[in-house]
Amino acid sequence: MNAHAIEKTELNKILFSVSEYATLEGTKAKIQTLSPVSELKAAKERLAITAECVRLLFFCGISKVEYFQPFFDELERAQKGSALTCGELLKTAALLRSARIAHHTINGVNEDGLERMKAFADKLYFDHALEEDITEKILNDTQLSDHASDKLYTIRREIRLLNERIRSRLSEYLSGSESKYLQDGIVTMRDNRYVLPVRAEYKRNVKGFIHDKSASGATFFIEPEEVLEMNNELRSLMVDEREEIERILSELSRRVGALAELLSKDIAVLEEIDGAYACAEFSYKLGCTQPEINDKGIVNIEQGRHPLIDRKKVVPVSLALGKDYRFLLISGPNTGGKTVTLKMVGLFCMMAMCGLFVPAKRAELSVFDEIYCDVGDAQSIEESLSTFSSHITNIIRIVENAGEKSLVLIDELGGGTDPDEGQALAKAIVSHLLSSGCAGVVTTHYTALKEFAFSAEGIQNACMEFDSNTLQPLYVIRIGLPGSSNALAISRRLGLSESILQNAMNNLSADAQRFENIVRSAEESRIEAETVLAESNRLKAEWNEKLRALELEREKLQKEKEKLYMSAKTEARRIINERSAQAEELLSEIEEIFAKENISQADLIKARTLKNKLADKAFETDNESVSRPQYKKATAADIRVGVSVYLKNLNQQGVIQSVREQKQEVEVLCGNIRVRSKFSDLCVVIGGETAQTVPKKKVWQKRGEQEKVQITKSLAPKPVPTLEVNVIGMTVQEALPDVAALIDGAVISNLDEVRIVHGVGTGKLRAGIHEFLRKHKNVESYRLGKYGEGETGVTIVTVK
């Protein structure tokens, strides 16, 4: 890709921004010089790698490449047998650590669709043993650890002990009778040997070797003969220490040199991974999307944003070319966004060819063999190029080289010269480019070029919208119509004299005025129609939402109706079956009495009693009106131990066990469970209406005898339905009947949810209950309790 296009579309600025997300210095340099690829397969591969890195970094949560300092010739020197310094070996350890972490983190993600990054990770070589040896033996860039080897530890320990002996002996000079011979009460060193500062007049009083004297000659630095041998031994130990350090560094360097080629490959692979991570982080943080890519010259951008403009201020632009037309001619007012849109098309294509996502809602982009640009003013005094000359120089290069696999971007084609000649030249250039088969975007203010786009094949007009009321550009592109330059209107807004503007209007040709008026009227009508359409669509969407809500409400009511019907049907079937069984039992007993040969008076009384019971069973549900408990909010006087209360938040009845006045809480026994509740959640029973029945008549006929029986029945209020059952401590066989009764009661009482308290234990009771619930026809679903509901010790059942 030519450097001119990269500069004019500002891809170089994008690549610099991407490089800021890289960790390694080598990666930053490579990204800044990254070149777009023209092959479709290579571009797709780059985009796929970026997509995998987005998943790894922002959805799998792995870390980026660990930093290590740049390598130059260290590996080559180590390979040739040279010993590396402590700092150079620490660089090697950092490289090994970075390779190890990258390999483990990428391969540690157990997901499909990461084949490319895992292939990179598999290329990495790491030697954990060598890495640990270097980091444990070397403390910093200049110093080895005492424990780098046993010999080094022994030598350094002997050096420390010998230093203490020397200092101890010399301290006797400082505190003894010889102190009067010393210039200062200190021990100093000369040539790495301990010496005493002796006054010049006493130099013969201290036996030893003179190493140096001060500049004034008043002080001689003498090594006492008593420590001479110890200093010699100290020098010998230091030589041994230096030789052992060199041996350790040489051994480590030899191991590094043996891996030099593998480590060089590690650097290249890690820079590739780091670059992919940088592209992914840039794409993610700018809110970019992965574009679809082709090699047919098709470009379709939906709500694209130029990445160098603040995303809070930029107006998204949508455009397309390459299918029905290969060229787009954009016209409209100055500062309306024509040039930014033109640059964005080329920039998006080159970003995709570099493996970068683009800031758009959706984008379909094409790879091109070359992208040619003529954007901006490239006049040059040194080269004697005017504005027009510089443009024509670029145009000549474009028309000579552009082909079917090229994208051409020309801003203000034919500008900088006589308008009539410029228009004629612009039409000829566009005609030539159309015949060459290339794709492109051209901006213009020329009316003749707009008219040409109406009639020519392969080119389409487009305009940047302009608000004629506020005289402000809207930065929105519309395909299909040319735009008016609105130069006079913009000049009026900026304050140009009205007389000058009127004179300018008179200078326009009649055809030019007519064309501009038609374009302006068409544009205003289109904007107004789109405003009406947008309002219509908004109202339509609003009414569709209301209709959808009503439909959902209707479906909900229908389900409630069906549920109530099924509940009533189930209750009726239960009552009928129960009463039928009881009636059959009573009839059986009566038949046994009348089957006797001799019927006594007692038998007749018993038969009459059974007949009355049978009548009760037949009519006890007719016209019954059952009163249910009524509740009122509990007052302070109502809250005391032993009082029956109703808990609104749990929909349960219970008995107060204890009262805590300070905390405004009570402890209530609900079945087998003790619950703490606030005073505000308590209600007390205030009674209800007494259930009555209307007198009924029953005719009982036996052996020609006819009796009329009047039955009066009073029913007690039905109890509040049970919401839970506690089966802790039971076996599965013992618990299942209670669980079945709870579910049947819930169906009869039209409850949505009930709770089974089975505890944690070994889990066998829970498993048996879950197996029973899974097969139960009235159970819609079940789950373990959440935090605060009892967790794994409780099962919540949803009833059909």
Side-chain angles (χ1 to χ4, degrees):
M1 195 63 62
N2 65 83
H4 181 77
I6 291 176
E7 179 186 353
K8 289 301 181 180
T9 58
E10 299 176 298
L11 177 66
N12 54 339
K13 295 181 180 179
I14 298 297
L15 294 178
F16 181 81
S17 298
V18 175
S19 70
E20 294 297 306
Y21 292 99
T23 302
L24 306 178
E25 299 300 327
T27 307
K28 294 179 185 290
K30 286 183 178 180
I31 291 175
Q32 291 174 14
T33 57
L34 184 65
S35 180
V37 293
S38 301
E39 296 79 13
L40 179 63
K41 184 178 179 181
K44 286 185 175 180
E45 186 71 11
R46 284 186 176 184
L47 289 170
I49 290 172
T50 303
E52 289 185 14
C53 290
V54 169
R55 285 180 60 192
L56 287 171
L57 290 177
F58 300 103
F59 297 95
C60 300
I62 73 166
S63 60
K64 296 176 66 176
V65 172
E66 290 284 322
Y67 176 77
F68 57 87
Q69 292 183 12
F71 275 80
F72 297 100
D73 61 343
E74 290 89 342
L75 293 177
E76 184 178 353
R77 288 195 290 108
Q79 192 174 19
K80 293 178 179 178
S82 298
L84 301 181
T85 65
C86 294
E88 291 170 341
L89 287 169
L90 286 176
K91 288 182 183 180
T92 305
L95 168 61
L96 289 168
R97 181 174 184 271
S98 181
R100 175 174 56 83
I101 292 174
H103 179 275
H104 289 339
T105 53
I106 294 173
N107 283 323
V109 178
N110 189 20
E111 289 189 14
D112 296 331
L114 300 173
E115 294 80 10
R116 295 170 180 83
M117 292 306 296
K118 289 188 176 182
F120 276 126
D122 291 337
K123 295 178 183 178
L124 292 172
Y125 173 83
F126 59 92
D127 188 334
H128 199 189
L130 177 58
E131 176 194 339
E132 285 187 338
D133 281 349
I134 294 174
T135 54
E136 289 176 359
K137 292 179 180 181
I138 300 177
L139 298 178
N140 51 47
D141 289 351
T142 59
Q143 189 176 9
L144 259 68
S145 168
D146 291 350
H147 301 280
S149 71
D150 293 339
K151 183 178 181 180
L152 183 63
Y153 177 80
T154 301
I155 292 172
R156 286 183 172 177
R157 182 170 59 83
E158 291 177 359
I159 289 173
R160 285 193 294 271
L161 293 174
L162 190 55
N163 275 323
E164 290 176 4
R165 286 170 55 198
I166 294 172
R167 283 195 295 268
S168 176
R169 179 66 191 92
L170 292 177
S171 65
E172 294 176 2
Y173 280 89
L174 299 179
S175 59
S177 58
E178 294 92 343
S179 61
K180 61 185 178 182
Y181 304 137
L182 304 181
Q183 185 76 357
D184 298 305
I186 60 172
V187 176
T188 185
M189 296 192 77
R190 286 293 186 275
D191 298 329
N192 290 325
R193 300 176 75 91
Y194 288 101
V195 296
L196 294 173
V198 180
R199 295 177 182 177
E201 61 267 28
Y202 297 119
K203 65 180 180 179
R204 300 186 185 278
N205 295 83
V206 179
K207 295 181 180 181
F209 180 80
I210 299 175
H211 283 274
D212 197 6
K213 69 176 181 179
S214 64
S216 64
T219 304
F220 281 77
F221 297 96
I222 301 175
E223 180 183 2
E225 62 181 10
E226 294 182 23
V227 298
L228 183 62
E229 187 61 34
M230 287 190 287
N231 270 332
N232 289 337
E233 185 179 355
L234 181 62
R235 290 291 296 271
S236 177
L237 288 172
M238 288 181 175
V239 171
D240 292 342
E241 179 192 24
R242 184 173 65 254
E243 289 177 351
E244 179 62 13
I245 289 174
E246 290 175 354
R247 186 194 67 79
I248 294 171
L249 294 178
S250 295
E251 174 62 21
L252 292 174
S253 300
R254 183 189 63 78
R255 294 169 64 183
V256 171
L259 304 175
E261 292 185 3
L262 294 173
L263 295 180
S264 297
K265 291 179 181 178
D266 273 0
I267 294 174
V269 173
L270 287 171
E271 287 179 350
E272 287 285 338
I273 294 174
D274 188 36
Y277 282 164
C279 292
E281 190 171 0
F282 170 85
S283 300
Y284 183 82
K285 291 190 174 180
L286 261 69
C288 301
T289 57
Q290 181 177 357
E292 300 173 17
I293 195 163
N294 63 83
D295 59 354
K296 300 178 181 178
I298 297 173
V299 176
N300 189 357
I301 301 172
E302 293 184 14
Q303 297 184 23
R305 298 177 283 106
H306 197 289
L308 295 178
I309 303 177
D310 187 351
R311 61 189 302 179
K312 296 180 180 178
K313 299 178 180 179
V314 66
V315 179
V317 173
S318 299
L319 60 85
L321 61 93
K323 288 185 179 179
D324 299 329
Y325 49 90
R326 296 183 62 82
F327 259 81
L328 199 61
L329 182 70
I330 304 177
S331 53
N334 291 317
T335 71
K338 298 189 301 298
T339 304
V340 172
T341 302
L342 176 141
K343 285 184 175 182
M344 185 186 73
V345 174
L347 178 60
F348 275 21
C349 290
M350 285 199 280
M351 286 175 66
M353 293 158 69
C354 289
L356 294 169
F357 293 180
V358 296
K361 182 179 180 181
R362 192 187 75 83
E364 182 180 4
L365 304 171
S366 177
V367 295
F368 294 97
D369 290 345
E370 193 61 83
I371 295 178
Y372 298 100
C373 290
D374 181 51
V375 181
D377 188 358
Q379 63 177 323
S380 172
I381 296 176
E382 292 84 356
E383 298 179 11
S384 301
L385 291 176
S386 66
T387 299
F388 178 74
S389 298
S390 65
H391 282 305
I392 288 301
T393 301
N394 283 333
I395 296 299
I396 292 171
R397 178 174 57 88
I398 292 172
V399 297
E400 287 180 350
N401 296 287
E404 292 183 357
K405 296 293 183 178
S406 302
L407 176 66
V408 175
L409 306 172
I410 304 177
D411 189 29
E412 303 293 348
L413 178 59
T417 187
D418 177 77
D420 291 335
E421 292 183 354
Q423 292 187 74
L425 185 60
K427 287 173 63 176
I429 292 171
V430 171
S431 296
H432 176 82
L433 292 174
L434 287 172
S435 64
S436 70
C438 63
V441 180
V442 176
T443 67
T444 188
H445 289 288
Y446 287 148
T447 300
L449 204 54
K450 301 174 192 177
E451 294 173 346
F452 171 76
F454 273 119
S455 58
E457 290 290 335
I459 187 170
Q460 180 68 275
N461 268 306
C463 67
M464 305 302 298
E465 284 197 350
F466 182 80
D467 191 333
S468 59
N469 296 321
T470 62
L471 302 180
Q472 294 283 350
L474 299 178
Y475 307 106
V476 177
I477 190 170
R478 297 297 179 189
I479 309 295
L481 285 176
S484 173
S485 297
N486 291 287
L488 299 181
I490 293 174
S491 300
R492 180 178 286 107
R493 176 174 63 85
L494 296 177
L496 187 63
S497 169
E498 190 64 33
S499 61
I500 297 176
L501 292 171
Q502 188 59 46
N503 191 17
M505 182 67 71
N506 295 333
N507 289 334
L508 285 175
S509 66
D511 291 339
Q513 291 187 41
R514 190 181 311 109
F515 183 82
E516 288 295 324
N517 289 334
I518 291 172
V519 170
R520 190 179 298 108
S521 298
E523 190 171 348
E524 291 174 358
S525 299
R526 178 179 52 77
I527 293 174
E528 183 179 355
E530 288 183 353
T531 302
V532 173
L533 179 61
E535 179 65 16
S536 175
N537 289 336
R538 185 189 67 79
L539 292 174
K540 182 179 178 181
E542 183 179 332
W543 279 107
N544 286 338
E545 183 63 24
K546 289 181 178 179
L547 289 174
R548 191 179 68 83
L550 289 172
E551 182 64 21
L552 291 175
E553 187 67 22
R554 187 190 68 78
E555 291 178 0
K556 182 179 178 182
L557 291 174
Q558 183 64 26
K559 289 180 180 179
E560 287 291 331
K561 177 182 176 182
E562 292 174 357
K563 189 170 183 178
L564 289 172
Y565 173 76
M566 292 301 297
S567 176
K569 188 176 179 180
T570 302
E571 175 68 3
R573 187 182 297 113
R574 186 191 65 79
I575 293 173
I576 291 171
N577 292 338
E578 181 182 337
R579 300 294 168 79
S580 297
Q582 293 173 350
E584 288 177 2
E585 185 178 347
L586 293 173
L587 285 172
S588 178
E589 291 184 28
I590 293 172
E591 288 175 356
E592 288 178 2
I593 293 173
F594 287 102
K596 295 180 180 180
E597 292 288 338
N598 299 315
I599 301 174
S600 64
Q601 188 64 31
D603 291 333
L604 289 174
I605 293 172
K606 183 179 179 181
R608 186 182 299 277
T609 302
L610 293 173
K611 179 197 68 173
N612 290 336
K613 287 183 178 180
L614 183 61
D616 289 343
K617 295 298 180 186
F619 295 102
E620 65 184 2
T621 59
D622 291 351
N623 294 333
E624 292 173 0
S625 60
V626 181
S627 67
R628 296 195 179 273
Q630 301 295 318
Y631 304 99
K632 69 174 183 179
K633 187 173 181 61
T635 61
D638 297 326
I639 300 174
R640 58 186 184 277
V641 176
V643 173
S644 295
V645 292
Y646 172 72
L647 281 67
K648 295 186 293 183
N649 56 338
L650 296 180
N651 193 26
Q652 287 276 34
Q653 276 188 320
V655 179
I656 297 177
Q657 301 296 304
S658 63
V659 181
R660 298 183 181 182
E661 292 286 349
Q662 294 181 346
K663 292 187 177 182
Q664 294 286 295
E665 288 183 351
V666 296
E667 189 176 78
V668 181
L669 181 63
C670 298
N672 296 324
I673 299 177
R674 291 179 179 269
V675 179
R676 287 185 182 178
S677 179
K678 297 289 186 183
F679 284 2
S680 58
D681 293 331
L682 299 180
C683 295
V684 294
V685 180
I686 61 176
E689 298 178 3
T690 303
Q692 303 260 339
T693 63
V694 178
K696 292 293 179 181
K697 293 184 179 180
K698 168 71 177 177
V699 177
W700 181 271
Q701 186 171 354
K702 173 187 167 296
R703 294 183 181 178
E705 179 180 74
Q706 192 175 42
E707 298 184 20
K708 292 183 180 179
V709 181
Q710 182 173 327
I711 302 168
T712 303
K713 180 73 174 177
S714 179
L715 296 177
K718 292 184 179 179
V720 175
T722 304
L723 294 176
E724 75 173 26
V725 64
N726 190 333
V727 294
I728 295 176
M730 298 183 184
T731 64
V732 175
Q733 289 75 17
E734 292 172 345
L736 291 184
D738 290 350
V739 173
L742 176 69
I743 295 172
D744 290 341
V747 172
I748 293 168
S749 303
N750 197 28
L751 299 179
D752 290 327
E753 279 189 353
V754 291
R755 188 165 73 160
I756 303 170
V757 182
H758 45 64
V760 180
T762 63
K764 291 184 178 180
L765 180 59
R766 179 179 64 228
I769 292 173
H770 285 185
E771 181 63 18
F772 173 78
L773 295 174
R774 186 176 65 82
K775 298 179 180 179
H776 201 291
K777 62 180 181 180
N778 289 327
V779 173
E780 183 172 333
S781 63
Y782 60 93
R783 62 176 174 83
L784 291 175
K786 299 177 183 176
Y787 178 77
E789 293 180 334
E791 299 181 356
T792 57
V794 168
T795 294
I796 309 298
V797 182
T798 302
V799 182
K800 290 183 180 178

